[in-house]
């Protein structure tokens, strides 16, 4: 196709034509809204680096989720800020733990809203790592047992789906087996299959009060330089029974989203993480970018890269903008 026979501007020059040939679409059905469930009552504490995002106690999380639900957002994903933390993250598996109670309240008040839970230990351990520590590093196989218990406690409370984010080897298989053995073979697992050791999680660690107290997460989260390893990680999770594959973070890893989309025949999710959100909010507050425009461009980029689902703190804003169009 060469000029002058081909002129891209013939079609591009007309808004109706642009609409007709648009290759990618974004729907409110694609959105998953992350929320922080805090132990206690009367809590509605904004996260300083994430304007508009709050730590919420149960009654407030229901109100916030109701708003998302009324905007047409189909699902939320919950993180917990527990009453106490210890070396083994025992507050992650309590029958009446913070996430378990939030799940119960949400399913009671908003039965049509899908409730997904993040399954990891870092929000519940006093050292902030994603598993139990032995000899200065996370003990993989000992952690699998705790993750299975945690996932089971979420599902017993009524969670519709669990999403393990710990990056231990074998966790999808371990959790799948625990769920199946206890009568929950119908509950799907969304795996944080390809999760990189990323600086973009900074604001989240303030939000979830989960920053590691020593070292970093490089012995379990992936090296940002690796692409082939992403396929190995995802393949392992597919073999172990994952139902949805997630890539995280989002914007710096669109190439990986495309790889996973091309390689596997499962729904693909992408996590537009806290640092990505904070950067947009900060630039918008300074008047340096047009927030609505940048947010919608980011969302369509995820879809174009091959994502089916988008976990994003912008979910309510995106739903409002979609309704306006
Ligand atoms: C817990 C977890 C993290 C995020 C989701 N689950 C943080 C981490 O691994 O350090 C990050 C989400 C975000 O930055 O928005 N393992
Ligand atoms: Zn973790």
């Amino acid at each position: 196709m060469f000029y002058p026979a081909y002129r891209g501007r013939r079609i591009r020059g007309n808004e109706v034509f642009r609409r007709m040939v648009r290759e990618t679409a974004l729907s409110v059905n694609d959105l998953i809204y992350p929320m922080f469930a805090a132990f206690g009552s009367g809590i509605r504490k904004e996260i300083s680096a994430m304007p508009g995002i709050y730590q919420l106690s149960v009654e407030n999380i229901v109100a916030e989720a109701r708003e998302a639900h009324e905007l047409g957002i189909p699902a939320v994903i919950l993180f917990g800020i527990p009453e106490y933390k210890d070396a083994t993250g025992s507050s992650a598996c309590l029958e009446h733990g913070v996430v378990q109670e939030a799940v119960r309240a949400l399913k009671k008040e908003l039965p049509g809203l899908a409730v997904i839970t993040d399954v990891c230990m870092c929000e519940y351990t006093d050292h902030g790592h994603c598993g139990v520590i032995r000899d200065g590093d996370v003990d993989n196989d000992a952690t699998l047992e705790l993750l299975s218990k945690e996932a089971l406690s979420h599902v017993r409370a009524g969670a519709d789906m669990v999403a393990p984010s710990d990056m231990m080897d074998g966790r999808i298989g371990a959790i799948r087996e625990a769920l199946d053995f206890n009568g929950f073979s119908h509950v799907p697992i969304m795996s944080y299959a390809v999760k990189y050791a990323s600086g973009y999680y900074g604001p989240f660690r303030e939000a979830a009060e989960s920053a590691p107290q020593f070292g970093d997460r490089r012995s379990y989260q992936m090296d940002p330089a690796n692409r082939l390893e992403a396929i190995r990680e995802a393949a392992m999770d597919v073999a172990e029974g994952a139902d949805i594959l997630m890539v995280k973070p989002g914007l710096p890893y669109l190439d990986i989203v495309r790889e996973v989309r091309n390689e596997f025949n499962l729904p693909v999710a992408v996590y537009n993480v806290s640092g990505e959100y904070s950067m947009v909010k900060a630039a918008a507050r300074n008047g340096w970018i047009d927030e609505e425009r940048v947010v919608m461009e980011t969302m369509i980029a995820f879809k174009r890269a091959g994502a089916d689902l988008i976990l994003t703190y912008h979910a309510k804003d995106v739903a409002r903008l979609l309704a306006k169009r």
Side-chain angles (χ1 to χ4, degrees):
M1 279 191 286
F2 294 105
Y3 169 85
Y6 179 75
R7 289 178 183 267
R9 297 183 60 186
R10 281 191 206 116
I11 293 289
R12 222 182 291 140
N14 176 324
E15 163 55 19
V16 180
F17 291 163
R18 286 201 295 275
R19 217 169 80 207
M20 291 164 67
V21 303
R22 193 156 291 146
E23 299 173 33
T24 311
L26 173 69
S27 152
V28 71
N29 297 322
D30 306 333
L31 302 173
I32 301 173
Y33 185 41
M35 305 180 80
F36 298 95
F39 180 84
S41 64
I43 298 168
R44 184 176 169 82
K45 186 176 162 211
E46 193 169 36
I47 294 136
S48 63
M50 301 177 72
I53 303 297
Y54 301 81
Q55 295 181 347
L56 300 164
S57 49
V58 169
E59 74 284 16
N60 292 329
I61 213 166
V62 170
E64 178 76 11
R66 177 170 285 122
E67 215 183 304
H69 186 51
E70 282 169 359
L71 286 165
I73 294 168
V76 297
I77 180 165
L78 301 183
F79 300 91
I81 298 126
E83 181 182 14
Y84 65 89
K85 304 191 185 213
D86 59 22
T88 58
S90 61
S91 58
C93 312
L94 302 174
E95 187 187 345
H96 298 287
V98 61
V99 164
Q100 291 82 354
E101 288 301 307
V103 169
R104 276 189 200 95
L106 288 169
K107 289 313 295 180
K108 178 160 171 272
E109 301 297 327
L110 306 165
L113 178 74
V115 178
I116 307 169
T117 57
D118 181 85
V119 174
C120 200
M121 302 311 295
C122 55
E123 298 133 67
Y124 310 93
T125 52
D126 51 13
H127 46 73
H129 276 286
C130 299
V132 282
I133 302 294
R134 202 175 61 189
D135 302 331
D137 195 8
V138 175
D139 182 334
N140 192 89
D141 296 8
T143 300
L144 296 184
E145 274 176 52
L146 299 180
L147 294 167
S148 303
K149 265 179 68 181
E150 182 185 5
L152 194 54
S153 74
H154 291 173
V155 170
R156 284 195 168 125
D160 297 297
M161 189 185 305
V162 290
S165 67
D166 52 283
M167 287 301 277
M168 296 304 120
D169 293 320
R171 74 224 204 269
I172 302 302
I175 292 171
R176 185 70 273 160
E177 194 181 306
L179 295 184
D180 290 0
F181 185 77
N182 288 281
F184 296 106
S185 60
H186 57 286
V187 175
I189 301 175
M190 174 164 68
S191 174
Y192 286 71
V194 182
K195 179 174 177 183
Y196 288 92
S198 172
Y200 286 90
Y201 307 149
F204 173 94
R205 292 179 186 171
E206 176 204 331
E209 300 173 9
S210 65
Q213 298 302 301
F214 65 89
D216 55 41
R217 302 210 202 289
R218 283 177 238 243
S219 80
Y220 40 104
Q221 298 180 350
M222 281 178 53
D223 185 336
N226 294 353
R227 179 178 65 86
L228 297 173
E229 187 185 1
I231 301 170
R232 291 200 296 279
E233 283 290 337
M236 193 156 78
D237 289 359
V238 172
E240 291 175 27
D243 299 280
I244 299 176
L245 298 171
M246 193 202 300
V247 174
K248 177 184 171 193
L251 271 187
Y253 297 89
L254 289 182
D255 56 327
I256 305 298
V257 174
R258 172 51 57 187
E259 289 283 350
V260 171
R261 166 71 297 147
N262 287 351
E263 198 78 22
F264 302 97
N265 183 18
L266 280 180
V268 175
V270 64
Y271 201 141
N272 179 214
V273 301
S274 56
E276 300 172 55
Y277 178 84
S278 298
M279 292 193 305
V280 169
K281 287 288 181 186
R285 288 199 158 186
N286 275 301
W288 294 339
I289 57 168
D290 174 341
E291 178 172 342
E292 290 189 0
R293 195 168 166 189
V294 166
V295 167
M296 293 312 258
E297 187 175 336
T298 302
M299 296 302 128
I300 210 70
F302 290 138
K303 296 292 292 184
R304 195 191 61 239
D308 302 295
L309 300 169
I310 304 168
L311 294 89
T312 181
Y313 302 99
H314 298 291
K316 288 197 305 173
D317 289 341
V318 172
R320 277 190 210 103
L321 290 169
L322 285 171
K324 229 166 47 178
R325 286 186 177 177

